[in-house]
Amino acid sequence: AASETASQPATIEDLLDREQARFLDMHPRSAAAWEEGKKHFLYGGPSHWMRRWAGGFPVYAASASGAHIRDIDGHDYVDFALGDTGGMCGHAPEAVTRAALHQLQSGTTMMLPTEDSLRVGEELTRRFGLPYWTLTTSATDANRGAIRIARMITGRPKVLVFSGCYHGGVEEAHVEIRSGRVGMRNMIHPNGVDHSAVSRVVEFNDVAALEEALSHGDVACVLTEPLMTNFGMIPVADGFHAALREITRRTGTVLIIDETHTISSGPGGYTALHGLEPDMLVAGKAIAGGIPAGIFGVSQEIAERLWKIVPMVNPRVRQSAHLGIGGTLAGNALTIATMRAVLEEVLTPVNFELMIANATRLAEAAWGIIRTNNLPWHVTQVGARAEIMFMPRPPRSGADVIAGRRGDLETLLHAFYMNEGILVTPFHTMFLMCPATSSADVDRHTEVFSRFVDLVRGASV
Ligand code: PMP
């Protein structure tokens, strides 16, 4: 409970108690729904990811439109979480809704391609540069498929990732370095998988460590985001991509770039914007406007090496077609129809310009408040995405995040924001714009951030 007196300023814990009490008070229907949900779901909600909201429990959504969500207690939120990127097209975008309704009435999943897929394939190649694509039902599955292919064509067992990464439910990537040890991300629980057999993990931006890790000749692929977005934002150092590409080529290691989040950079992601040359590229989440979907693309060379091992099937010879990548519903007609709508009408160059302008507006206003108040914090922006971090400088690696992160301030900010009608992704302080985000939405954030600063300045931080 708050124990503030004139001589004893409130602690962050006191302030969090206060915000959580205010949250409970404001959300009686969501509180009751959560109690009921806990009776039937392993972690309260239909997905364990839904339990992380700092108010103490999630609000239950009644409806969502554009950049706004309304909860069952009648509160409106400016949504900068956008479903942790799955909603980057905005909620209920008109073009996606139209395409989905049409396809729902024409059949959703038939194990047959539709003509829409031709336009999707053509556009993916035009945007991202890679010639051949495969759909999955999630970015996780796209990463799994890409890893499988890398192992098939190299005959090597290991996957190299950078400490602090997240690539979905991919076993090989659930590793980090902490206190010199390699273990599960956040060391949160034990795991039956022998990570020393399937994973290598080094710090991001560390060329010497990368060189050493790939010198053993047992790494099938490097799986990385172009810059890291899942442990706060870790910008990429000058020259790192050139070194990564050179070392992976020299050691015969497949380079997989995961653009699931960094597609916020622009229509062709960070890869197109900065001329990267991955062997494979993965994306997902927003790519079909909120209908589950993942994609991965491969280079001509990777495709040819794969076809030597698993050729195109000749149906006359009942040859085994088993490849086991992606699920039964991958590339279904509904996903394809909505993906086409996204590529042609929603995540367009014009909309990216709007989204990036709003992210810049948010980042610059936040920087202004940080500088005026002399706070040891910073803001990083990747196109339509921005992140406020409670550290004086951008981290260079996962180790820097572990050393400098202020989890208590993050939690307080999240709880305060919920009470003030702002949603940010619950895992860190990341803001994403959709085409419907307005400058007024951004200015509402600026005003709430400013009051958050007033709140913590009066506390013993
Ligand atoms: N790659 C990256 C970079 C991600 O951030 C995530 C999810 N946060 C994934 C892959 C996995 O996406 P999904 O959970 O939709 O499979």
Side-chain angles (χ1 to χ4, degrees):
S3 60
E4 187 182 6
T5 66
S7 56
Q8 263 190 327
T11 64
I12 298 296
E13 284 298 309
D14 295 334
L15 294 176
L16 185 56
D17 285 343
R18 209 182 293 167
E19 290 306 323
Q20 288 199 330
R22 185 153 77 105
F23 184 79
L24 181 59
D25 208 44
M26 285 171 70
H27 299 91
R29 285 189 65 178
S30 283
W34 185 241
E35 286 313 307
E36 192 180 338
K38 283 195 282 191
K39 293 183 195 153
H40 308 293
F41 291 111
L42 188 57
Y43 286 104
S47 158
H48 72 88
W49 294 113
M50 295 173 183
R51 80 191 197 281
R52 294 282 297 268
W53 297 92
F57 52 91
V59 299
Y60 280 63
S63 64
S65 173
H68 287 253
I69 293 182
R70 183 162 283 277
D71 73 16
I72 60 171
D73 287 291
H75 304 292
D76 177 80
Y77 301 86
V78 182
D79 185 10
F80 293 106
L82 293 169
D84 196 28
T85 303
M88 185 181 171
C89 295
H91 299 295
E94 209 269 319
V96 172
T97 306
R98 196 183 341 111
L101 284 175
H102 172 77
Q103 199 61 49
L104 281 167
Q105 289 167 335
S106 318
T108 57
T109 192
M110 298 160 268
M111 198 59 76
L112 291 171
T114 51
E115 284 184 316
D116 278 341
S117 68
L118 304 175
R119 301 289 76 76
V120 166
E122 182 178 58
E123 179 61 11
L124 291 177
T125 292
R126 203 183 63 77
R127 286 188 180 216
F128 298 108
L130 292 161
Y132 302 109
W133 294 86
T134 284
L135 266 70
T136 60
T137 47
S138 66
T140 297
D141 253 7
N143 278 323
R144 284 205 188 103
I147 289 169
R148 169 93 57 80
I149 291 171
R151 283 180 168 142
M152 285 167 71
I153 65 177
T154 61
R156 300 174 180 177
K158 287 184 186 157
V159 176
L160 184 140
V161 294
F162 296 105
S163 188
C165 74
Y166 185 73
H167 297 283
V170 176
E171 205 61 68
E172 293 84 346
H174 280 292
V175 283
E176 71 168 21
I177 305 169
R178 198 174 281 254
S179 314
R181 277 196 320 123
V182 172
M184 281 294 273
R185 170 85 180 263
N186 294 335
M187 304 293 167
I188 41 174
H189 53 70
N191 195 14
V193 170
D194 178 5
H195 283 291
S196 65
V198 295
S199 314
R200 277 190 194 278
V201 53
V202 299
E203 296 290 356
F204 195 54
N205 287 322
D206 187 342
V207 175
L210 178 70
E211 178 92 55
E212 196 288 323
L214 296 187
S215 69
H216 303 258
D218 57 359
V219 175
C221 58
V222 172
L223 172 60
T224 184
E225 293 186 273
L227 61 122
M228 299 185 75
T229 68
N230 277 303
F231 208 39
M233 254 189 225
I234 308 177
V236 65
D238 284 346
F240 187 68
H241 275 298
L244 173 63
R245 188 60 281 198
E246 189 278 315
I247 300 167
T248 46
R249 280 212 175 104
R250 173 157 45 79
T251 56
T253 312
V254 174
L255 176 59
I256 307 172
I257 296 283
D258 180 348
E259 291 268 11
T260 302
H261 277 178
T262 47
I263 194 170
S264 63
S265 303
Y270 190 98
T271 292
L273 192 63
H274 295 275
L276 304 188
E277 295 174 6
D279 300 306
M280 300 197 207
L281 183 145
V282 166
K285 294 200 181 185
I287 196 83
I291 299 292
I295 53 171
F296 68 89
V298 307
S299 68
Q300 186 71 34
E301 188 210 323
I302 300 281
E304 284 171 13
R305 288 169 72 184
L306 178 65
W307 290 329
K308 281 198 191 120
I309 304 167
V310 181
M312 290 276 188
V313 164
N314 175 355
R316 280 174 64 130
V317 290
R318 294 312 301 168
Q319 168 188 6
S320 170
H322 190 82
L323 195 56
I325 288 173
T328 310
L329 271 66
N332 71 68
L334 176 63
T335 309
I336 283 287
T338 53
M339 198 179 290
R340 179 176 180 183
V342 167
L343 295 172
E344 291 181 353
E345 298 180 66
V346 187
L347 293 184
T348 59
V350 170
N351 277 342
F352 263 107
E353 262 178 48
L354 282 172
M355 291 150 68
I356 292 170
N358 273 321
T360 305
R361 184 183 182 96
L362 187 145
E364 283 176 355
W367 263 126
I369 291 166
I370 290 168
R371 291 208 176 99
T372 308
N373 290 280
N374 243 325
L375 294 160
W377 304 346
H378 74 273
V379 187
T380 301
Q381 185 187 348
V382 187
R385 186 187 296 279
E387 168 119 16
I388 298 174
M389 283 184 84
F390 300 116
M391 304 168 60
R393 276 173 301 281
R396 271 184 63 94
S397 66
D400 284 354
V401 177
I402 290 169
R405 189 172 190 177
R406 286 291 306 268
D408 57 344
L409 281 181
E410 287 177 36
T411 309
L412 178 63
L413 175 137
H414 284 243
F416 180 74
Y417 272 27
M418 296 288 292
N419 289 333
E420 298 295 332
I422 303 270
L423 289 193
V424 290
T425 200
F427 314 113
H428 39 102
T429 309
M430 185 163 78
F431 303 83
L432 184 62
M433 312 299 134
C434 68
T437 307
S438 68
S439 50
D441 294 332
V442 170
D443 295 347
R444 168 125 184 81
H445 170 264
T446 303
E447 187 261 321
V448 172
F449 181 55
S450 171
R451 283 194 288 114
F452 172 75
V453 169
D454 291 343
L455 183 74
V456 295
R457 274 202 323 174
S460 58
V461 176

